[in-house]
């Protein structure tokens, strides 16, 4: 018995004739909206909460993020879960776990409690993201994918903007507590996931997905880019916002204001980036991303080495986030080169590869952080340069049989 079989199943062609509010794309919009309500609120409060409630330093925050990334490393487990649970249902269950764990975060304000709830919410987040990426690439036509992914990103940014905006306006004014905000945000995510479960049928993609682990040599460049993306992103996620609190003394509403600016920019630029990917190609857009990130990380290092001020730190944080928003070019690159049945298992494998470095890097860099903050960001710049070199290996028109610029010279094996 597969969980979800008792719900009506509908093919994509039929489903796309439904009213918009019952179509697959609207389901993806709702999921994209629901996830950041819990996750963005958790992220916005995290650094202040752990410092105030549990006295975290760079060492503890490094360990927390390493533990948070373990489920990402184990995302390959999705391949085995979809034998028993439909992807659409698994995505909603994962959202419920994320929302529920977020709601309880402030109930356990000590190191062990924070770590356990972080692990649970992370299982929900990473399994949701794995399934969500798979469903997007299965349900959205290749020709429309860059633009549609841009709009989905914009919807998620709007949800984060809403969460951050309410925090900025009400945190001090209403004297909100960590517990109240976590409970409300997590509860909203759970409610939306439950609505999606009962309001939508099971959408059937035309290509059945393999339910075994898939590792193909011709996907090697995609795997390498995913690995570097995971390693590089951890430095930003763990230490950029932590720097704003530890070095510049940002309070909750100030950190949240930065996030607010980020997501206003994402709402505006994500659809434009999607259009640009469709017009100029994945290689060009990823090149812009990695050059920009190299410069941003070097400037981060300069804040500590030269003592540059808070305004530059805030500007760099926003630019960093904007460059990261170009990363969905990796999704469209893979969609173009993949066998249709490989999308679900490869999404799981890619998430695991993306999190190999994420499991140990935050903890190790937490120890480096207490001795050389500049060194952490110089290492991140080196990772961005490595990513740039890899991105330049993407051909102008990637497709199956033309996965890299070397494909024209070497017969790439099918496996």
């Amino acid at each position: 018995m597969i969980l979800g079989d008792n719900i009506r199943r509908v093919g994509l062609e039929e489903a796309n004739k439904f009213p918009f509010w019952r179509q697959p794309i609207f389901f993806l919009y709702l999921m994209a909206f629901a996830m950041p309500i819990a996750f963005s609120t958790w992220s916005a409060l995290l650094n202040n909460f752990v410092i105030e409630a549990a006295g975290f330093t760079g060492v503890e925050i490094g360990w927390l993020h390493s533990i948070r990334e373990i489920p990402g490393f184990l995302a390959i487990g999705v391949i085995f879960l979809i034998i028993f649970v439909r992807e659409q249902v698994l995505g909603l269950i994962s959202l419920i776990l994320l929302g529920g764990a977020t709601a309880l975060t402030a109930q356990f304000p000590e190191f062990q409690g924070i770590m356990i709830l972080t692990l649970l919410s992370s299982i929900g987040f990473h399994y949701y993201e794995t399934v969500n990426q798979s469903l997007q690439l299965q349900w959205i036509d290749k020709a429309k994918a860059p633009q549609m992914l841009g709009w989905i990103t914009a919807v998620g940014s709007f949800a984060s903007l809403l969460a951050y905006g309410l925090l900025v306006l009400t945190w001090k004014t209403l004297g909100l507590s960590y517990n109240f905000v976590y409970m409300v945000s997590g509860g909203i995510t759970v409610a939306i996931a439950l609505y999606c479960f009962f309001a939508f049928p099971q959408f059937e993609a035309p290509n059945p997905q393999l339910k075994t682990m898939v590792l193909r040599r011709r996907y090697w460049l995609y795997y390498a880019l995913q690995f570097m993306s995971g390693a590089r992103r951890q430095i930003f996620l763990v230490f950029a916002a932590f720097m704003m609190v530890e070095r510049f003394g940002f309070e909750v509403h100030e950190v949240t204001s930065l996030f607010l600016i980020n997501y206003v920019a994402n709402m505006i630029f994500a659809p434009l980036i999607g259009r640009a990917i469709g017009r100029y190609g994945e290689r060009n857009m990823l090149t812009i991303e990695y050059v920009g990130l190299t410069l941003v990380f070097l400037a981060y290092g300069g804040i500590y080495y030269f003592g540059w001020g808070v305004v530059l730190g805030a500007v760099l944080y926003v630019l960093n986030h904007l460059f990261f928003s170009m990363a969905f070019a990796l999704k469209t690159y893979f969609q173009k080169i993949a066998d249709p049945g490989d999308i679900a298992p490869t999404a799981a494998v890619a998430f695991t590869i993306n999190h190999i470095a994420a499991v140990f890097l935050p903890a190790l860099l937490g120890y480096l952080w207490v001795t050389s903050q500049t060194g952490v960001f110089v290492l991140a710049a080196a990772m961005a340069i490595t990513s740039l070199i890899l991105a330049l290996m993407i051909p102008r028109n990637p497709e199956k049989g033309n996965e890299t610029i070397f494909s024209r010279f070497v017969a790439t094996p099918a496996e």
Side-chain angles (χ1 to χ4, degrees):
M1 176 69 177
I2 297 178
L3 185 57
D5 267 348
N6 58 327
I7 301 175
R8 182 190 172 205
R9 286 183 276 171
V10 177
L12 289 183
E13 187 174 345
E14 179 186 353
N16 287 327
K17 296 176 183 177
F18 287 174
F20 179 73
W21 61 273
R22 295 198 72 219
Q23 291 181 12
I25 189 62
F26 190 69
F27 179 91
L28 293 175
Y29 284 153
L30 280 178
M31 291 216 302
F33 182 86
M35 188 278 288
I37 295 294
F39 182 72
S40 294
T41 302
W42 180 85
S43 300
L45 299 182
L46 177 67
N47 290 296
N48 294 84
F49 176 67
V50 298
I51 289 173
E52 293 175 22
F56 275 30
T57 67
V59 172
E60 287 83 12
I61 199 72
W63 275 109
L64 183 145
H65 282 281
S66 283
I67 288 173
R68 189 179 73 84
E69 297 302 343
I70 291 173
F73 179 71
L74 299 177
I76 198 169
V78 167
I79 297 170
F80 306 102
L81 287 176
I82 62 176
I83 297 174
F84 308 102
V85 184
R86 293 190 175 278
E87 283 186 88
Q88 187 173 331
V89 175
L90 180 57
L92 296 176
I93 292 172
S94 300
L95 272 182
I96 291 170
L97 180 58
L98 168 63
T102 299
L104 296 175
T105 296
Q107 296 291 320
F108 302 90
E110 70 285 330
F111 183 81
Q112 292 85 354
I114 292 171
M115 291 295 177
I116 291 171
L117 283 169
T118 294
L119 181 64
L120 292 175
S121 66
S122 182
I123 292 171
F125 171 79
H126 285 99
Y127 277 45
Y128 160 78
E129 282 291 329
T130 302
V131 171
N132 184 47
Q133 176 174 309
S134 172
L135 293 178
Q136 288 173 2
L137 298 184
Q138 290 179 64
W139 291 357
I140 301 174
D141 183 76
K142 289 182 183 180
K144 299 178 181 178
Q147 188 69 43
M148 296 308 299
L149 290 176
W151 281 109
I152 290 171
T153 301
V155 168
S157 296
F158 174 73
S160 295
L161 175 65
L162 184 63
Y164 294 151
L166 289 173
L167 275 176
V168 169
L169 293 174
T170 62
W171 180 260
K172 277 200 164 182
T173 305
L174 301 181
L176 299 180
S177 67
Y178 290 110
N179 185 53
F180 176 81
V181 175
Y182 278 136
M183 289 288 289
V184 170
S185 61
I188 290 173
T189 296
V190 170
I192 294 174
L194 289 173
Y195 170 80
C196 288
F197 183 81
F198 292 107
F200 290 89
Q202 289 292 307
F203 300 118
E204 292 286 325
N207 298 291
Q209 297 297 294
L210 296 175
K211 294 179 173 63
T212 58
M213 188 172 70
V214 172
L215 278 172
R216 301 197 190 279
R217 280 176 285 178
R218 64 188 186 86
Y219 298 159
W220 72 266
L221 181 56
Y222 175 67
Y223 298 148
L225 285 165
Q226 283 286 0
F227 176 81
M228 293 309 305
S229 173
R232 189 185 62 248
R233 182 178 291 269
Q234 284 310 303
I235 296 179
F236 170 68
L237 290 177
V238 177
F239 296 107
F242 190 74
M243 175 190 73
M244 303 306 292
V245 176
E246 184 185 62
R247 181 173 178 82
F248 298 119
F250 270 39
E251 298 182 18
V252 165
H253 65 288
E254 293 170 319
V255 173
T256 306
S257 296
L258 267 184
F259 290 175
L260 197 65
I261 295 169
N262 284 339
Y263 286 101
V264 169
N266 254 15
M267 280 184 59
I268 296 171
F269 288 107
L272 299 178
I273 291 170
R275 187 179 304 171
I277 292 171
R279 181 172 182 180
Y280 300 110
E282 288 80 5
R283 181 177 64 185
N284 289 332
M285 296 307 295
L286 289 173
T287 296
I288 293 171
E289 177 189 355
Y290 300 145
V291 169
L293 288 175
T294 300
L295 297 176
V296 166
F297 282 130
L298 289 175
Y300 269 136
I303 288 177
Y304 281 96
Y305 192 79
F306 298 108
W308 295 337
V310 62
V311 174
L312 178 62
V315 169
L316 290 174
Y317 190 85
V318 174
L319 287 175
N320 202 336
H321 202 275
L322 190 58
F323 282 123
F324 274 138
S325 70
M326 298 180 180
F328 63 82
L330 272 182
K331 292 183 183 180
T332 59
Y333 165 64
F334 175 68
Q335 188 186 38
K336 290 178 179 179
I337 67 172
D339 288 326
D342 287 353
I343 289 175
T346 304
V349 169
F351 248 76
T352 292
I353 291 172
N354 186 277
H355 288 79
I356 291 173
V359 171
F360 64 84
L361 198 60
L364 292 179
L365 291 182
Y367 291 100
L368 177 59
W369 179 263
V370 298
T371 58
S372 175
Q373 294 88 354
T374 298
V376 170
F377 291 119
V378 169
L379 181 61
M383 293 176 183
I385 292 172
T386 303
S387 298
L388 172 62
I389 294 170
L390 291 170
L392 293 174
M393 299 179 189
I394 296 175
R396 184 183 299 274
N397 297 301
E399 60 184 358
K400 183 177 178 180
N402 188 35
E403 295 85 2
T404 74
I405 58 174
F406 308 114
S407 298
R408 70 186 76 173
F409 306 113
V410 180
T412 305
E415 296 297 325

